[in-house]
Amino acid sequence: MNDGVMLLFLRQIFPEWSITRDADGVWRARGRVRVWASSVEGVLDVLAMAEPEAGERVRRFFAVAPEN
């Protein structure tokens, strides 16, 4: 998935966070805390720690069945 599409998805899933990617490729998220990472995976890791229900929100958004 390209970064622009991922950015749109993340903004829909986490509307209370300001999530951006700058011209240098740095991902930033501002919400309860401010974070930055060199990859979308890094931002997702932080969101998973800051938002206890982050994984469930992503699964619901993409309608992925929960793992047993």
Side-chain angles (χ1 to χ4, degrees):
M1 181 176 307
N2 84 28
D3 289 345
V5 173
M6 181 59 82
L7 185 58
L8 291 172
F9 285 147
L10 290 176
R11 288 177 176 169
Q12 289 294 312
I13 297 168
F14 301 100
E16 69 278 16
W17 287 81
S18 172
I19 302 171
T20 61
R21 183 173 178 266
D22 68 23
D24 296 325
V26 176
W27 289 81
R28 300 178 190 279
R30 285 185 307 230
R32 289 187 267 164
V33 295
R34 289 184 178 192
V35 298
W36 62 93
S38 60
S39 68
V40 69
E41 290 84 5
V43 168
L44 286 171
D45 288 344
V46 173
L47 288 171
M49 288 187 295
E51 296 286 339
E53 76 286 350
E56 179 58 30
R57 289 168 75 170
V58 170
R59 279 190 291 278
R60 269 196 322 262
F61 184 82
F62 288 107
V64 175
E67 294 181 24
N68 291 330

